[in-house]
Amino acid sequence: MDTPEAPAVPRPAAPELRALAAQSRPDWDPNAVANALAEAHMSSMSWADVLKRMGTLMADPEATPRDLTAHVWKATRPGSDGPPDAYRKARDEDPLLASRNRTLAAGTAS
């Protein structure tokens, strides 16, 4: 709870996080970062979790922005308890998710 003595932290700062991602990971598409943050918000991830996960992903040369919510995706797939690479691959092979990801990457999501 916000009070003058003890403001709630961490405070959401999506524009600043997108700017940090653009500087630290120039290989990432800025739209993919924005989409990942929107997906995290829609998945009800806390801002603290978003910060922790994005920091880890930015430090991982193999990571992509969409890995931000991979744990949410994994939780909806019983029996898919493999490492992140396993569900990244499964996510890419899922026709519905692969189609959605291509649409989001192209910036034409409705």
Side-chain angles (χ1 to χ4, degrees):
M1 177 170 174
D2 264 356
T3 66
E5 302 83 36
V9 291
R11 293 186 180 266
E16 292 82 358
L17 185 56
R18 287 193 308 267
L20 178 60
Q23 289 298 310
S24 64
R25 290 301 300 264
D27 56 318
W28 284 0
D29 176 5
N31 290 325
V33 173
N35 289 336
L37 292 175
E39 188 175 337
H41 176 72
M42 291 185 294
S43 300
S44 299
M45 282 180 67
S46 72
W47 183 248
D49 284 344
V50 169
L51 286 176
K52 287 183 232 174
R53 291 179 187 277
M54 279 299 284
T56 300
L57 294 174
M58 286 189 282
D60 178 355
E62 300 298 316
T64 66
R66 68 180 178 194
D67 295 331
L68 178 62
T69 55
H71 70 289
V72 174
W73 178 85
K74 182 181 149 190
T76 64
R77 298 287 197 274
S80 177
D81 56 0
D85 288 342
Y87 52 85
R88 280 184 205 150
K89 182 175 186 251
R91 185 177 197 174
D92 288 341
E93 290 172 356
D94 183 311
L96 179 62
L97 289 172
S99 172
R100 179 175 181 274
N101 289 337
R102 280 192 294 275
T103 299
L104 290 174
T108 58
S110 53

